[in-house]
Amino acid sequence: MSYRTPVAEMAFTLRHVAGLDAGIASGLYGDLTAEDAEAILHEAGRVADSVIAPLNTIGDRHGTPLKDGAITTPPGWREAYRTWTEGGWNGLSADPDHGGQGLPLLLNAACNEMWNAGSLSFGLCPLLTAGGIEALAQHGSAELKDRYLGKLVSGEWTATMNLTEPQAGSDLSLLRSRAEPAGDGSYRITGSKIYITYGEHDLTDNIIHLVLARLKDAPAGTRGISLFLVPKVLPDGTRNDLRCSGIEHKLGIHGSPTCSMAFGDNGGAVGWLIGEENRGLACMFTMMNSARLNVGLQGVGISERAYQQALAYARDRRQGRGPGATEASPIVAHADVQRMLLTMKAYTAASRAICYLTAQGLDAAHGPEGKAGHDRASLLTPVAKAFATDIANEVTSLGVQIHGGMGFVEETGAAQHMRDARILAIYEGTNGIQAIDLVTRKLPLNGGATVQAQIAGMRRVAEALVKEAAPAFGTMAARLRAGIESLDRATSFQMKALASNRPDDALAGATPYLRLFGLAQGGACLAQAALASNAALKAGETDPTLNARIALARFFAENLLTAASGLEESIIDGGAFTQDAALALAS
């Protein structure tokens, strides 16, 4: 089943939920108009639908074979990448000084969703390049920027992120890769890395590796890590002393090469320092934070594709008889299938809105809001990454369920979505780490003022629902208010636990807290879309999608947001398990 980009839904979310219209009106987005934005989305959708999406199954079946140190990408990959870069999509939000188009991150976020809905494996390559561009632009020397940024922005070259080693996954303090000054301003890098996405490929003739390594006599732990730019091909055209030593055989994302990399077999790979010595982790986090939002958008994209496929199958597959039917009905007529499909659609719409809100905060950080926008984006980033990717695992699983036995075989493609989605909750910081980050680092921002401002914004949406009191809203207002109050009480509990030096109490409930945050924020976003849709209907518009958005927001509030109270209870009262965990796990 082919994917069709939901351009109208994405544009509506950008404009009426994520603040594109408000940003245009305030001058935040320069001379961009809503019409310009929609034209860009339509063209991006055309590329995603016709160029990238047809490669998804091909990539899954072909894989990325490694022979003599070289990787061959799946058939059609190189041509698609060339078409994509020639369209200027790689530099959509990059600085015009380096060849980018300088468009909002908010608009780029929507496009990133499209590329990854088309093919998650394809979308991974530019995802890492985008992070590399950001890290180099913020922390690189003028010489490195002049040499590399333009070609990265154009997509002529790609970038990677080299963090993980066999003994060092989430705990980067265990890194062993080494860097030695060469006396000419460069360094010699030795060591090995694993799980390097697109560490080797045939899409471009150069790959720019960003590598974490330790200098001699560097401080122990993460304080002694530096970041280096290590190109596959050196400025003089010779091959650097690095190679792909193997590829992983994975559950999913088969079209994306996941490489083991060896640096310095013959004395050391040539690299250049990015930022300051022993401050590499701060530079790399610039790249990782960009990647975390984009991984959340990967979750949105694959959820959308799985939903579209499940809906098409449910409309076609006949089994059983619906109410009043005299012959077998399409399974979409059955209440339980409707519930599953609505769950898929509502979760996807909610996670999309949260990711777009995060991108808007990053845009706002460069405008009059400044730090407030930055802090809002910082608060929402772990939610965007973890909520959207947890949702992707649930949505793609529901997609298999709707297909029944046909979902469990590879023929329909539903299984591929589920296999591909599974990694999203793991890479770029596991979702457990995102929850810890949210609770221990993001809730305390500005003494808690940032999270309280976000909750206040949710309350304003709930109050608007009460004031409007449209019959089609059902009990949406009451459910949203209850969810927000559960979030508020859980937030107070977490803040008090941290202030009272009871970190285990906070950490025990970190994952359910992030889920609760996502549900409340997602419910507020869908309610905001419902309010905008209701206003359009009152103004005389007749687009049927307006009523559909209201119905979807009501479904979310009355069927999914109801989990908020249980999550609150587990956060506040469920932490005792940490005291008995060893006993309970012993048998």
Side-chain angles (χ1 to χ4, degrees), residues 379-399:
L379 172 69
L380 289 174
T381 293
V383 182
K385 194 278 182 184
F387 184 76
T389 57
D390 281 342
I391 290 313
N393 278 284
E394 295 174 30
V395 166
T396 54
S397 180
L398 283 171

Side-chain angles (χ1 to χ4, degrees), residues 8 17 112 168 250 287 294 315 347 392 400 406 412 513:
V17 179
N112 282 340
K250 304 163 293 187
M287 191 175 189
N294 286 329
R315 286 171 171 168
Y347 271 146
V400 171
M406 288 303 295
T412 60
Y513 177 81

Side-chain angles (χ1 to χ4, degrees), residues 306-579:
Y307 163 71
Q308 288 189 22
Q309 181 162 334
L311 178 62
Y313 183 84
R315 286 171 171 168
D316 184 64
R317 170 68 167 165
R318 291 181 174 272
Q319 185 170 308
R321 295 181 180 179
T326 58
E327 59 182 19
S329 304
I331 62 173
V332 74
H334 300 304
D336 192 56
V337 175
Q338 292 172 348
R339 176 190 60 80
M340 289 189 285
L341 286 166
L342 283 168
T343 298
M344 296 174 78
K345 184 174 185 179
Y347 271 146
T348 301
S351 58
R352 172 183 291 126
I354 292 171
C355 287
Y356 289 5
L357 277 180
T358 307
Q360 190 280 335
L362 293 171
D363 282 333
H366 299 290
E369 264 198 275
K371 186 175 183 298
H374 177 271
D375 290 346
R376 183 169 69 253
S378 295
L379 172 69
L380 289 174
T381 293
V383 182
K385 194 278 182 184
F387 184 76
T389 57
D390 281 342
I391 290 313
N393 278 284
E394 295 174 30
V395 166
T396 54
S397 180
L398 283 171
V400 171
Q401 187 71 22
I402 289 169
H403 281 76
M406 288 303 295
F408 196 69
V409 298
E410 295 291 349
E411 180 181 340
T412 60
Q416 182 194 342
H417 301 323
M418 186 174 174
R419 289 188 287 102
D420 285 354
R422 190 60 191 88
I423 187 61
L424 301 179
I426 298 172
Y427 61 23
E428 301 307 334
T430 67
N431 285 2
I433 289 175
Q434 302 305 312
I436 293 169
D437 177 53
L438 174 64
V439 167
T440 62
R441 297 181 66 244
K442 304 306 173 56
L443 294 190
L445 280 172
N446 301 308
T450 299
V451 68
Q452 286 303 321
Q454 198 66 24
I455 292 173
M458 299 180 205
R459 283 198 176 102
R460 286 193 291 272
V461 176
E463 291 164 2
L465 287 175
V466 173
K467 183 178 180 181
E468 191 64 33
F473 291 172
T475 62
M476 194 193 316
R479 295 298 186 188
L480 179 58
R481 291 173 78 177
I484 294 167
E485 295 314 311
S486 285
L487 175 63
D488 191 32
R489 289 189 292 268
T491 301
S492 295
F493 173 84
Q494 296 284 37
M495 295 289 287
K496 289 176 182 176
L498 292 173
S500 303
N501 198 28
R502 294 183 284 113
D504 281 353
D505 288 353
L507 295 178
T511 289
Y513 177 81
L514 189 148
R515 180 66 170 222
L516 173 55
F517 198 118
L519 285 174
Q521 184 67 75
C525 288
L526 295 191
Q528 194 170 342
L531 286 163
S533 296
N534 191 61
L537 289 168
K538 290 170 67 175
E541 294 187 32
T542 58
D543 184 345
T545 62
L546 297 171
N547 285 311
R549 290 190 190 98
I550 295 171
L552 192 69
R554 178 176 178 177
F555 174 85
F556 188 97
E558 296 177 349
N559 292 271
L560 304 177
L561 190 50
T562 51
S565 60
L567 289 165
E568 177 196 351
E569 290 179 15
S570 69
I571 294 161
I572 294 174
D573 299 325
F577 74 83
T578 59
Q579 302 168 24

Side-chain angles (χ1 to χ4, degrees), residues 47 79-80 120 160 173 192 198 230 272 285 320 357 372 491 502 504 540 561 578 580:
V47 174
E79 294 79 6
L120 205 63
T160 70
S173 66
S192 60
Y198 279 90
V230 187
W272 290 270
F285 266 117
L357 277 180
T491 301
R502 294 183 284 113
D504 281 353
L561 190 50
T578 59
D580 303 324

